[in-house]
Amino acid sequence: MSITKNVALLASLFLCGCVVTVNDKVLVGKNRVVAWESKLVIAHRGASGYLPEHTIAAKAMAYAQGADYIEQDLVMTRDGEVVVLHDHHLDTVTDVRDVFPQRARADGRYYVIDFTLAELRQLAVSERFQEIDGERSAVFEDRFPLMQSSFGISTFAEEIELIQGLNKSTGRPVGIYPEIKSPAFHREEGKDISAAVLDILSTYGYTTMQDKVFLQCFDPFELQRIHAELLPAMNMAVPLVQLLGSGPDYEPLLTDEGLQQVAAYADGIGPSMFLIVGQESRASDLATTDLVERAHGLGLAVHPYTFRNDQLPAFVDDYEQLLRIYLDDLDVDGVFTDFPDLTVAFLESNL
Amino acid sequence: MSITKNVALLASLFLCGCVVTVNDKVLVGKNRVVAWESKLVIAHRGASGYLPEHTIAAKAMAYAQGADYIEQDLVMTRDGEVVVLHDHHLDTVTDVRDVFPQRARADGRYYVIDFTLAELRQLAVSERFQEIDGERSAVFEDRFPLMQSSFGISTFAEEIELIQGLNKSTGRPVGIYPEIKSPAFHREEGKDISAAVLDILSTYGYTTMQDKVFLQCFDPFELQRIHAELLPAMNMAVPLVQLLGSGPDYEPLLTDEGLQQVAAYADGIGPSMFLIVGQESRASDLATTDLVERAHGLGLAVHPYTFRNDQLPAFVDDYEQLLRIYLDDLDVDGVFTDFPDLTVAFLESNL
């Protein structure tokens, strides 16, 4: 990280509002977390470059690699449990087709919401694959082999207990970075996933802006609901992050007016990395946007996704160059990465 | 490590027999592995200083922390499966008393050999505890909390698949260090655990002195049987390590004659650390034995146990001092440790 740049950012924050430092966080304005003394390494689905995503083992590995925050994608089961899985489908990371062949919906997919937790416990979790005519092939071929060893689906509570237990045994304060997946889908299925997630956060002590948590979601209406209704009703306040995709749906949020609206309920944004540097950029001619600058101007932290050593954008030759552009040159506040080890090593060598 | 010392050791090996270097191993004499170009960090039951011992998560963490070898203690189930657990009892690391209250033997203990693998799958694995009058308390109180998160018992095959899968995804060549537990007990129960373990090693490609494996056992008769009968019958040759306790049973093996007998079937010894420096030593007056020197003179690698940051011998003030005495001053070839991270950091800072 650039110490100079950060001091400048802190100074500008200090000029624009009340600044309080709690641990390594800097709070501003309405108790908002807007900047950190160091860049954050957010383990995207765990150390998913090396072990099957969202398994307890992948989280333990991410923890050992020095991640500051570990991500949990959250979906709900038929019996109302919150489990850690990237999709509300099961068929690309488990053996559900083999164990429950009759349980697909008309679209051929197997939905988490159609299974109880006890049923999900019977599934083996695999490195991510695509399946065509019964043939499975790896999405990332240099990663952990498909359908090996023994991994299962975990609940959100179990993963929090892992991280809090490790915080005790290591003495490090690693945070959680839960994402509420598809709240509208869950509502149609009769579940209020946001309320369920906040309940669990409250149970495990994540209730204030000082706690080591970011709560993320793609759905701006749901985040506004969480900010305006759910959190106040539970007497909670946790940092919220608006995720931003690169499709047309997100264009209104990316305008000056849209971003101001985001800043009214969120404390950070989690944009696709290509909203910061255009995907079609060439190394000699980076199409850089002003998103980071505009977000920082509104007091929003910026945590782009997804930084992968084995899936580099065309505009860089290696992973270090990618990190240098985003973390040093463009000054984002942290990155979602499948490779926490390489990202920690970059930041440490860069001090 | 001391490069100078190692060069001297290699030179002495070269003078005393045929030396071949394969990867980072130095082989001598009858294809024996006797020295490494670097000291080995052997993760004792995984990163067990931080996560419940022998869980897949503890192994993933040990892997991420840079261990060279990861240990598996092996016992057998009623239906002949080889599982990874330190004891042939279940009651100090699982909730077996709650799940199967009627299944204790007359001595009040719950034996792995009395349960099928399917039954063991129903148990939750915990950080190690003692239980007195139904009250559980942690053996190491600063470690992972008792009965938290969700951990299970793994088979030896599943753990090998974890390590081999990580070897693929990381590109590192991490080895396994299985221990055959209580072969006489298993024999009384009608099981040949050594034959079962060698079968699995063979299935997963650990069949030659060049493969990343050490096979350890406390029982000298069983190691002799493995060396003289089982390995030749399977056309296998893997490095064997004679474990040595500090009780009177091991005194015959520690004499010059005993150690020569060990060298006839084993490639290394795994002694209690107190067989190298007396437990009653004071910092100003270390009661050092000549065991390392005598073992090295016979071409035996020396891997003492167990190096724990939270259970230091009285003769040191801190963990680094402990490592300095054994790895630098007394030149052991590797250590079994509950804290792979601290041990890797010591060796790296010491280069």
Side-chain angles (χ1 to χ4, degrees):
Chain A
M1 63 169 288
S2 153
I3 299 285
T4 326
K5 274 184 199 158
N6 245 46
V7 169
L9 176 60
L10 298 190
S12 73
L13 294 172
F14 191 78
L15 292 174
C16 77
C18 161
V19 174
V20 187
T21 303
V22 178
N23 299 327
D24 59 339
K25 294 178 184 173
V26 178
L27 313 177
V28 69
K30 299 160 285 185
N31 268 355
R32 294 284 185 66
V33 178
V34 288
W36 275 255
E37 287 174 24
S38 58
K39 306 290 191 184
L40 297 183
V41 177
I42 305 155
H44 181 251
R45 313 183 197 173
S48 53
Y50 305 110
L51 278 171
E53 64 182 52
H54 284 316
T55 58
I56 287 286
K59 305 303 170 93
M61 190 169 200
Y63 196 106
Q65 290 180 338
D68 300 298
Y69 283 78
I70 297 176
E71 189 195 40
Q72 301 79 35
D73 291 312
L74 301 176
V75 296
M76 284 186 89
T77 67
R78 183 169 172 178
D79 50 345
E81 299 286 341
V82 178
V83 295
V84 186
L85 279 166
H86 182 258
D87 306 310
H88 56 261
H89 305 124
L90 291 159
D91 30 279
T92 52
V93 291
T94 74
D95 59 353
V96 66
R97 277 184 209 280
D98 306 329
V99 180
F100 297 107
Q102 308 304 320
R103 299 276 292 274
R105 291 196 183 183
D107 62 2
R109 306 301 304 265
Y110 294 75
Y111 285 70
V112 179
I113 198 89
D114 294 338
F115 293 83
T116 63
L117 180 59
E119 287 171 336
L120 295 181
R121 297 283 196 206
Q122 300 171 45
L123 302 182
V125 172
S126 167
E127 176 63 31
R128 181 169 284 274
F129 55 83
Q130 49 243 329
E131 187 159 354
I132 299 169
D133 298 334
E135 280 289 309
R136 290 175 183 149
S137 60
V139 172
F140 294 96
E141 66 181 28
D142 294 332
R143 297 192 177 185
F144 199 85
L146 302 187
M147 296 290 176
Q148 289 288 292
S149 193
S150 173
F151 306 104
I153 293 171
S154 304
T155 66
F156 185 31
E158 288 164 351
E159 184 160 332
I160 291 175
E161 290 181 10
L162 174 81
I163 293 168
Q164 293 191 345
L166 282 165
N167 285 350
K168 171 180 184 266
S169 63
T170 67
R172 286 183 59 214
V174 171
I176 61 172
Y177 210 129
E179 178 181 342
I180 295 172
K181 301 292 289 192
S182 314
F185 167 82
H186 281 94
R187 195 170 299 116
E188 286 163 22
E189 299 284 337
K191 309 279 188 210
D192 185 347
I193 184 170
S194 297
V197 168
L198 291 181
D199 260 349
I200 296 167
L201 289 178
S202 172
T203 299
Y204 284 95
Y206 300 95
T207 56
T208 75
M209 295 300 281
Q210 285 71 50
D211 296 316
K212 283 269 186 179
V213 59
F214 286 96
L215 182 60
Q216 54 174 334
C217 190
F218 273 104
D219 184 331
F221 306 107
E222 190 70 6
L223 277 179
Q224 289 174 54
R225 175 179 170 245
I226 291 168
H227 171 75
E229 297 172 30
L230 299 186
L231 286 173
M234 296 182 69
N235 201 23
M236 287 170 66
V238 294
L240 302 180
V241 171
Q242 173 68 58
L243 296 172
L244 297 166
S246 40
D249 284 359
Y250 296 94
E251 281 170 15
L253 293 178
L254 291 163
T255 63
D256 282 349
E257 200 190 340
L259 217 50
Q260 275 173 20
Q261 288 176 355
V262 169
Y265 60 83
D267 308 278
I269 56 172
S272 158
M273 59 163 68
F274 301 122
L275 291 171
I276 296 174
V277 179
Q279 187 157 13
E280 305 308 321
S281 292
R282 285 171 303 163
S284 56
D285 184 20
L286 291 185
T288 306
T289 72
D290 59 359
L291 179 60
V292 178
E293 209 175 345
R294 289 191 295 129
H296 280 170
L298 292 164
L300 291 164
V302 181
H303 299 160
Y305 62 87
T306 304
F307 289 70
R308 295 181 167 117
N309 186 43
D310 56 357
Q311 194 181 62
L312 295 169
F315 55 81
V316 295
D317 293 325
D318 59 41
Y319 189 64
E320 192 179 325
Q321 200 185 347
L322 183 68
L323 294 177
R324 199 168 297 286
I325 290 171
Y326 282 85
L327 286 164
D328 282 354
D329 300 345
L330 299 174
D331 202 27
V332 303
D333 304 291
V335 296
F336 285 92
T337 176
D338 293 359
F339 296 87
D341 56 337
L342 303 180
T343 314
V344 169
F346 171 81
L347 287 169
E348 284 178 353
S349 71
N350 222 21
L351 280 176
Chain B
M1 66 168 286
S2 152
I3 299 285
T4 325
K5 275 186 197 154
N6 243 46
V7 168
L9 177 61
L10 298 189
S12 73
L13 295 174
F14 191 78
L15 292 173
C16 77
C18 161
V19 175
V20 187
T21 304
V22 178
N23 300 325
D24 59 339
K25 292 177 185 172
V26 177
L27 313 178
V28 68
K30 296 160 287 183
N31 266 355
R32 294 283 184 69
V33 177
V34 287
W36 275 254
E37 286 175 24
S38 59
K39 306 290 189 184
L40 297 183
V41 178
I42 306 154
H44 181 249
R45 315 183 196 172
S48 53
Y50 305 110
L51 279 171
E53 64 181 54
H54 284 316
T55 58
I56 287 286
K59 306 303 170 94
M61 189 168 202
Y63 196 106
Q65 290 180 339
D68 300 299
Y69 282 77
I70 297 176
E71 189 196 39
Q72 300 80 34
D73 291 311
L74 301 176
V75 295
M76 286 187 87
T77 66
R78 184 170 170 177
D79 50 344
E81 298 286 341
V82 178
V83 296
V84 185
L85 278 167
H86 181 258
D87 306 311
H88 56 262
H89 305 124
L90 290 159
D91 30 279
T92 52
V93 292
T94 74
D95 60 353
V96 66
R97 277 182 210 281
D98 307 329
V99 181
F100 298 107
Q102 307 305 320
R103 300 276 293 274
R105 290 196 182 183
D107 62 1
R109 307 300 303 265
Y110 295 74
Y111 286 70
V112 179
I113 198 90
D114 293 337
F115 294 83
T116 63
L117 180 60
E119 288 171 336
L120 296 182
R121 297 283 196 208
Q122 300 172 44
L123 301 182
V125 172
S126 168
E127 177 63 30
R128 180 169 286 274
F129 55 84
Q130 49 242 330
E131 189 159 353
I132 299 169
D133 297 334
E135 280 290 308
R136 289 175 184 151
S137 61
V139 172
F140 294 95
E141 65 181 27
D142 294 332
R143 297 192 176 185
F144 199 84
L146 302 187
M147 294 291 175
Q148 289 289 291
S149 193
S150 174
F151 306 104
I153 293 170
S154 305
T155 65
F156 184 32
E158 287 165 351
E159 183 160 331
I160 292 174
E161 290 181 9
L162 174 81
I163 293 168
Q164 293 191 345
L166 282 166
N167 285 349
K168 171 181 184 267
S169 63
T170 67
R172 286 183 60 213
V174 171
I176 61 173
Y177 209 129
E179 178 182 343
I180 295 172
K181 301 292 289 193
S182 313
F185 167 82
H186 281 94
R187 196 170 298 117
E188 285 162 24
E189 299 284 336
K191 308 283 190 206
D192 185 346
I193 185 171
S194 298
V197 168
L198 291 181
D199 259 350
I200 296 167
L201 289 178
S202 172
T203 300
Y204 284 95
Y206 299 95
T207 55
T208 74
M209 294 299 282
Q210 285 72 51
D211 296 316
K212 284 268 188 182
V213 59
F214 286 96
L215 182 59
Q216 55 175 333
C217 192
F218 273 104
D219 185 332
F221 305 107
E222 191 71 5
L223 277 179
Q224 288 175 55
R225 174 179 169 246
I226 291 169
H227 171 74
E229 297 172 31
L230 299 187
L231 286 173
M234 295 182 69
N235 201 22
M236 286 169 68
V238 294
L240 302 180
V241 171
Q242 173 68 59
L243 296 173
L244 298 166
S246 42
D249 284 0
Y250 296 94
E251 280 170 15
L253 293 178
L254 292 163
T255 62
D256 282 349
E257 199 189 340
L259 217 50
Q260 275 174 21
Q261 288 176 355
V262 170
Y265 60 82
D267 309 278
I269 57 173
S272 158
M273 60 164 67
F274 300 122
L275 291 171
I276 295 174
V277 179
Q279 188 157 13
E280 304 309 322
S281 292
R282 285 171 303 165
S284 57
D285 183 22
L286 291 184
T288 307
T289 71
D290 60 358
L291 179 59
V292 178
E293 209 175 345
R294 289 192 294 130
H296 280 169
L298 292 164
L300 291 164
V302 181
H303 300 159
Y305 62 87
T306 303
F307 288 69
R308 295 181 167 118
N309 186 42
D310 55 357
Q311 194 181 63
L312 294 169
F315 55 81
V316 296
D317 293 324
D318 60 40
Y319 189 64
E320 190 180 327
Q321 201 186 345
L322 184 68
L323 294 177
R324 197 167 300 285
I325 290 171
Y326 283 85
L327 287 164
D328 282 355
D329 300 345
L330 299 175
D331 202 28
V332 304
D333 305 291
V335 294
F336 285 92
T337 176
D338 292 359
F339 296 87
D341 57 338
L342 303 181
T343 314
V344 169
F346 170 82
L347 288 169
E348 285 179 352
S349 72
N350 220 22
L351 279 175

